[in-house]
Amino acid sequence: EARASIAMGDLLSRLGEVTRRGDPIGLLLLRLARYHTVVAGLGHRAADQLLAAAAARLAERVAAAELPQATLHRLEGETFAIAAPVGDRLALARFADALVREFAVPIAEGEQSVVLDLVTGYARTPDDAPTGDDLLQAAELALQAAQSSPAAIAGYSEELGRDRRAALALEQALRQALGTGQFEFFFQPQLDGAGKLVGAETLIRWRHPDRGLVSPADFIPVAETSGLIVPIGREVLTAACSQGRAWLEAGRPPLLIAVNVSARQCVQSGFVDEVAAVLGETGYPPHWLELEITESVAAQDAEATVALLAALKALGVRLAIDDFGTGFSSLSYLRRFPIDKLKVDQSFVRGLPDDGQSAAIARTVIALGRELSLTVIAEGVETEAQETWLVAHGCHELQGFRYSRPLPAGEFDRWRAALAGLSYAPAA
């Protein structure tokens, strides 16, 4: 019969004991994928009861599998582990599949039935790891892979190990890059429908001393998962406000400077104070700063988002919802958000004007924004046909390679002068 435990130490002790004897053992890490959705919908008390029911179901399944010396462990929150001396990887995969199927069956909670969905990652000694600690790390990597797998199951592979080592190396290099001048900041113009420059989005690039220019697609995900996006985000905000201030002091016309804000920044305590501090340090007028919050942040906790945006709005900054249409924000909350702008995601702009679904979504977002008295901007505009369609359908502002790629501050200054038919002396 499976033994339930709530201590990670019990699991590590069990794995260490078995691996020291040289016996093969399989480890499955299991996560209830929809647990937090259930908490949001039913409340913590009902969710705790479901968690207990899920643990009982796991224990029954382990017992039914007749795996001698199998142990079930509750690790933290909605995560469990099963350690079992399974004979080979195929048997381990079959067991994982049986568990996932089991949790496709609803669990009764009062008068409701809830599907929690199980995600499973597994690994085995000695194939995947020599020690208990290594085995746990291998299973954690497999669980991460399973969370993005349609099958909700993944086994450890050497490729996962290589990816993890590469991510750790990149993370270490990112830590060293902070505050050392390796980050460069670019500005992409934003124009209104008449072709007048109205703003610029600030974008970060990383020029590694050995690797050269590292794509944001490579380092931003690592920065997000490691938490480094928080200090990096502050560098971006500081650079944007400092450059904006330099342009104003050089006599340039005021320009709305947009800065992306990550989900990790939004949930950190003191974020509003940090924005206020950067504005104070740089002297940049708050009403010329626009913070872009992704729609996914709003969807996570709409009430908390309302409070956050209200606090930021009190500073005097402008607010935009980025990537609008890609997430699932409640429209009833959207009308409560003190925002100024909606940004149509480039994935919808790309299909214009010929793709019917893209056109329908873009048209809906534009109409929604106008109905709520919000400015609507489309990103990723590359062709004249896209521009013509967007302007004809009432989109206020446009951004993309049709007008300019992201430019370093000096090049942006020259581009701005050329657009206005003027000649500027170089700004700081």
Side-chain angles (χ1 to χ4, degrees):
E1 184 177 344
R3 178 174 58 87
S5 168
I6 60 171
M8 172 71 80
D10 288 353
L11 174 61
L12 291 174
S13 176
R14 163 79 169 139
L15 295 178
E17 175 187 335
V18 174
T19 53
R20 280 193 297 273
R21 291 200 307 264
D23 298 337
I25 188 169
L27 177 64
L28 300 95
L29 291 185
L30 315 127
R31 182 163 294 152
L32 301 173
R34 299 187 65 250
Y35 178 69
H36 290 287
T37 302
V38 171
V39 171
L42 300 181
H44 286 280
R45 181 176 179 181
D48 286 344
Q49 292 172 343
L50 281 170
L51 199 60
R57 182 177 285 192
L58 283 172
E60 291 171 4
R61 188 67 199 182
V62 172
E66 297 182 350
L67 295 169
Q69 299 179 334
T71 55
L72 170 65
H73 306 257
R74 163 87 181 280
L75 299 185
E76 58 179 0
E78 69 279 17
T79 304
F80 296 82
I82 296 173
V86 179
D88 55 40
R89 287 182 64 83
L90 181 58
L92 198 58
R94 286 173 175 165
F95 185 40
D97 181 65
L99 291 171
V100 169
R101 289 172 189 260
E102 183 73 27
F103 277 80
V105 178
I107 295 177
E109 169 52 35
E111 297 180 356
Q112 303 186 62
S113 293
V114 178
V115 175
L116 289 175
D117 289 337
L118 197 68
V119 179
T120 306
Y122 62 87
R124 181 178 179 273
T125 62
D127 307 342
D128 303 322
T131 70
D133 286 344
D134 292 335
L135 183 63
L136 180 59
Q137 185 179 73
E140 286 173 341
L141 290 175
L143 180 61
Q144 292 172 19
Q147 290 176 154
S148 58
S149 167
I153 299 172
Y156 176 81
S157 67
E158 183 56 35
E159 182 180 1
L160 284 177
R162 284 196 302 270
D163 290 346
R164 176 59 178 164
R165 289 191 291 273
L168 286 173
L170 196 62
E171 179 184 330
Q172 182 60 30
L174 268 177
R175 292 186 187 279
Q176 295 172 351
L178 283 167
T180 62
Q182 293 183 28
F183 294 125
E184 299 176 1
F185 303 96
F186 290 64
F187 301 86
Q188 187 169 38
Q190 299 172 333
L191 292 82
D192 66 14
K196 177 185 176 182
L197 181 67
V198 292
E201 180 179 1
T202 310
L203 299 167
I204 187 172
R205 299 292 183 263
W206 178 20
R207 193 172 298 280
H208 189 276
D210 300 320
R211 307 181 190 190
L213 205 59
V214 182
S215 169
D218 292 332
F219 76 83
I220 292 297
V222 174
E224 288 278 7
T225 57
S226 66
L228 290 173
I229 196 67
V230 173
I232 290 174
R234 183 182 173 99
E235 285 203 24
V236 177
L237 181 62
T238 302
C241 292
S242 296
Q243 186 58 62
R245 177 68 181 179
W247 279 328
L248 289 177
E249 290 179 345
R252 305 297 185 260
L255 196 64
L256 193 64
I257 304 292
V259 176
N260 285 287
V261 177
S262 77
R264 292 291 287 267
Q265 288 175 277
C266 287
V267 299
Q268 67 162 328
S269 61
F271 174 63
V272 176
D273 292 338
E274 181 175 284
V275 175
V278 171
L279 288 168
E281 292 164 5
T282 61
Y284 193 59
H287 58 278
W288 290 115
L289 173 65
E290 181 175 82
L291 300 179
E292 295 185 356
I293 312 292
T294 63
E295 186 183 10
S296 60
V297 172
Q300 286 175 9
D301 189 338
E303 288 292 351
T305 303
V306 169
L308 171 68
L309 297 184
L312 290 170
K313 194 70 176 174
L315 296 178
V317 303
R318 292 174 61 84
L319 300 169
I321 299 293
D322 194 13
D323 302 333
F324 192 80
T326 60
F328 184 69
S329 288
S330 168
L331 296 183
S332 64
Y333 278 110
L334 180 61
R335 65 184 174 82
R336 295 174 52 199
F337 292 162
I339 58 174
D340 304 285
K341 185 180 291 185
L342 295 181
K343 196 166 193 178
V344 183
D345 187 68
Q346 61 183 332
S347 62
F348 305 125
V349 174
R350 191 177 301 121
L352 298 178
D354 300 322
D355 181 77
Q357 289 187 334
S358 294
I361 294 172
R363 188 163 45 239
T364 300
V365 174
I366 293 169
L368 176 64
R370 297 184 73 93
E371 187 69 23
L372 295 174
S373 300
L374 303 175
T375 300
V376 181
I377 181 172
E379 65 178 349
V381 180
E382 297 185 353
T383 69
E384 181 180 358
Q386 291 169 345
E387 176 191 83
T388 300
W389 190 96
L390 287 162
V391 173
H393 284 81
C395 188
H396 302 101
E397 298 176 2
L398 309 162
Q399 173 184 345
F401 279 24
R402 171 158 174 76
Y403 314 104
S404 174
R405 61 184 174 83
L407 300 168
E411 290 185 36
F412 181 92
D413 211 22
R414 290 190 289 274
W415 183 94
R416 186 209 296 218
L419 181 72
L422 302 172
S423 178
Y424 291 156

